[in-house]
Amino acid sequence: MTFTTMLRGALAAVAALSLAACGINSVPTKEEAAKARWADVESAYQRRADLIPNLVSTVRGAAASEGKILEDVINARSRATSIQLSADDLDDPAKFQAFEEAQGELGSALSRLMVVTENYPQLRSQEGFLALQDQLEGTENRIDNARTKYNAAVQDYNTTIRTFPDSIGANIIHGAEPMQGFKAKPGADVAPEVNFDTAN
């Protein structure tokens, strides 16, 4: 083996290591991981959307006078399911915000519906309603868990595409853009006031 052949082999090995450290594989791997976590978020939101018609029809029978709130829930579900955010749109802040707002409206409408049901003891005692309520509570926990895992994957991806040496491959080869993560709603840092004084 000549010195030139050994030098070529060493240069090829160094070049291969340099390319491997430049985000050639790590950027798409982390992007796919974030997209997989996004699919978990979508699945949790879909589970909630699927439970709502059963909840609404159960409440409608017992609380017909609460038609406005039921209508709000139905409309919020319709808006939430009509706004689609694909994994390819996760770097678009406007689309991400529209999706998050629609899901927030649905969560708020469901909260109002659950408060209304407190006025109907016969409804709260029905096994079907209690099962739906438990499933919705579990679904909200799944949504929170999926969003947390998605945010962690997005943080990992965004850090990778911004740090050296992965940023070289991220910018030159992949044209990577930062993904959007879920943020707290405005005012979420202020604790709600709890008042048990019924005189007010």
Side-chain angles (χ1 to χ4, degrees):
M1 212 186 233
T2 66
F3 176 74
T4 307
T5 306
M6 288 183 359
L7 182 61
R8 284 184 190 154
L11 288 175
V14 168
L17 284 173
S18 297
L19 285 175
C22 289
I24 300 296
N25 292 321
S26 61
V27 170
T29 299
K30 293 185 180 195
E31 180 181 25
E32 291 304 315
K35 287 180 178 179
R37 297 298 70 78
W38 176 250
D40 294 342
V41 171
E42 288 182 312
S43 176
Y45 279 134
Q46 185 62 52
R47 176 182 163 85
R48 178 172 71 177
D50 292 345
L51 286 172
I52 289 172
N54 294 333
L55 179 68
V56 167
S57 61
T58 302
V59 174
R60 182 176 279 142
S65 63
E66 305 297 344
K68 172 74 171 103
I69 291 175
L70 292 171
E71 185 179 316
D72 288 348
V73 170
I74 292 167
N75 290 337
R77 177 186 183 272
S78 177
R79 280 190 300 279
T81 57
S82 70
I83 296 178
Q84 299 298 314
L85 185 67
S86 73
D88 295 330
D89 296 328
L90 295 176
D91 58 355
D92 185 334
K95 288 182 180 178
F96 194 89
Q97 184 177 3
F99 179 85
E100 191 173 8
E101 285 174 1
Q103 292 298 334
E105 284 178 29
L106 180 55
S108 178
L110 277 174
S111 294
R112 287 191 308 274
L113 179 63
M114 298 315 277
V115 168
V116 163
T117 62
E118 295 297 317
N119 297 327
Y120 296 91
Q122 77 279 12
L123 177 61
R124 286 182 288 140
S125 66
Q126 291 179 10
E127 287 182 33
F129 176 75
L130 293 175
L132 283 169
Q133 191 174 18
D134 287 345
Q135 287 183 38
L136 273 174
E137 183 180 330
T139 298
E140 293 300 324
N141 290 336
R142 288 180 188 194
I143 289 170
D144 182 55
N145 189 32
R147 286 170 52 143
T148 300
K149 288 180 179 178
Y150 169 74
N151 277 351
V154 165
Q155 178 190 12
D156 188 34
Y157 170 77
N158 288 347
T159 301
T160 299
I161 67 171
R162 294 182 61 216
T163 54
F164 183 80
D166 291 327
S167 61
I168 296 169
N171 294 317
I172 296 172
I173 297 170
H174 300 294
E177 295 288 332
M179 290 183 174
Q180 300 298 307
F182 288 98
K183 297 177 178 79
K185 294 177 186 174
D189 57 334
V190 178
E193 183 179 328
V194 179
N195 185 356
F196 293 107
D197 184 6
T198 57
N200 291 340

